Amino acid sequence: SQTIHQWPATLVQPVGSPLSLECTVEGTSNPNLYWYRQAAGRGLQLLFYSVGIGQISSEVPQNLSASRPQDRQFILSSKKLLLSDSGFYLCASAGTVRANYGYTFGSGTRLTVV
Amino acid sequence: SQKIEQNSEALNIQEGKTATLTCNYTNYSPAYLQWYRQDPGRGPVFLLLIRENEKEKRKERLKVTFDTTLKQSLFHITASQPADSATYLCALLDTGGFKTIFGAGTRLFVKA
């Protein structure tokens, strides 16, 4: 079964500072990878997805970017954080048989921009 | 655009009763539908998937129905327990086949 490693668990960053969140996947190869953001009491908003190394699709124009330098590594970045970037960030993986097993999520990063 | 609606009001039930959660969708014809459980401060955990040609799916105390005519799925937890208290999310794979869209979820509280 798949395991998603996501870190850090919590992060407090000042406005204007850079951001780098990393996600690594174990237990599968060539997964589809996703970054979601969840505001307090809200649903999951899809930010980026990737179907392979170097392939990134952006869903929402924003202050963030994503990269996939390796098959099982997905990175979310920002050059200058905004207050509105605060939220709960989740990395997810879907293997080739995702239709049977759904997505596997990481434990999330709680980002507070101050 | 595709839209998923789940009851935003929390559902409070007594232990031992059956909890029923609703998921409605519009502008959409998904091949399958998923349900997830999310505990506070944690990532969602996949529970069940039901395909468009399946009317009902069961897993232990969980049951999911899928009515493509009504564009609705019902999620049932029988013999509910306080440990079932969580937020339950409905999710659909979009028509492109790469992205899953999630509902906002319904919070369930089971009282002992």
Side-chain angles (χ1 to χ4, degrees), chain B residues 10-92:
Chain B
L11 178 62
N12 291 279
I13 65 168
Q14 200 65 35
E15 182 177 12
K17 301 293 185 183
T18 296
T20 299
L21 308 177
T22 304
C23 172
N24 295 295
Y25 59 93
T26 57
N27 300 326
Y28 204 40
S29 296
Y32 55 80
L33 184 148
Q34 305 170 28
W35 283 90
Y36 291 77
R37 168 183 173 142
Q38 185 175 23
D39 291 287
R42 309 292 296 271
V45 175
F46 173 72
L47 296 175
L48 277 172
L49 178 149
I50 185 166
R51 301 177 189 279
E52 60 179 341
N53 60 349
E54 297 175 315
K55 296 297 182 185
E56 182 179 297
K57 197 81 166 279
R58 292 176 184 263
K59 178 182 176 183
E60 298 174 353
R61 294 184 296 110
L62 308 181
K63 184 179 84 172
V64 172
T65 62
F66 193 11
D67 189 325
T68 55
T69 300
L70 292 178
K71 294 188 181 295
Q72 180 182 80
S73 175
L74 298 179
F75 177 81
H76 306 272
I77 305 175
T78 59
S80 60
Q81 306 166 0
D84 294 326
S85 299
T87 297
Y88 291 87
L89 308 174
C90 167
L92 300 168

Side-chain angles (χ1 to χ4, degrees), chain A residues 45-60:
Chain A
Q45 178 189 30
L46 179 62
L47 302 176
F48 300 95
Y49 71 93
S50 171
V51 299
I53 296 173
Q55 300 179 61
I56 306 295
S57 295
S58 174
E59 287 301 295
V60 182

Side-chain angles (χ1 to χ4, degrees), chain A residues 1-7 22-35 50 68 70-75 90-96 103-106:
Chain A
S1 63
Q2 298 180 48
T3 302
I4 307 280
H5 299 282
Q6 194 178 339
W7 66 93
E22 188 165 342
C23 165
T24 58
V25 183
E26 289 183 0
T28 187
S29 58
N30 195 30
N32 289 350
L33 296 176
Y34 306 83
W35 278 110
S50 171
R68 186 169 177 177
Q70 300 180 41
D71 180 46
R72 288 175 284 181
Q73 184 184 28
F74 203 23
I75 299 171
L90 290 158
C91 177
S93 170
T96 53
Y103 284 15
T104 299
F105 281 86

Side-chain angles (χ1 to χ4, degrees), chain A residues 53-103:
Chain A
I53 296 173
Q55 300 179 61
I56 306 295
S57 295
S58 174
E59 287 301 295
V60 182
Q62 58 210 333
N63 187 41
L64 303 170
S65 62
S67 62
R68 186 169 177 177
Q70 300 180 41
D71 180 46
R72 288 175 284 181
Q73 184 184 28
F74 203 23
I75 299 171
L76 182 70
S77 304
S78 173
K79 292 182 180 178
K80 288 186 178 182
L81 284 169
L82 305 172
L83 287 174
S84 57
D85 292 324
S86 294
F88 190 45
Y89 288 82
L90 290 158
C91 177
S93 170
T96 53
V97 287
R98 64 187 181 276
N100 293 326
Y101 300 112
Y103 284 15

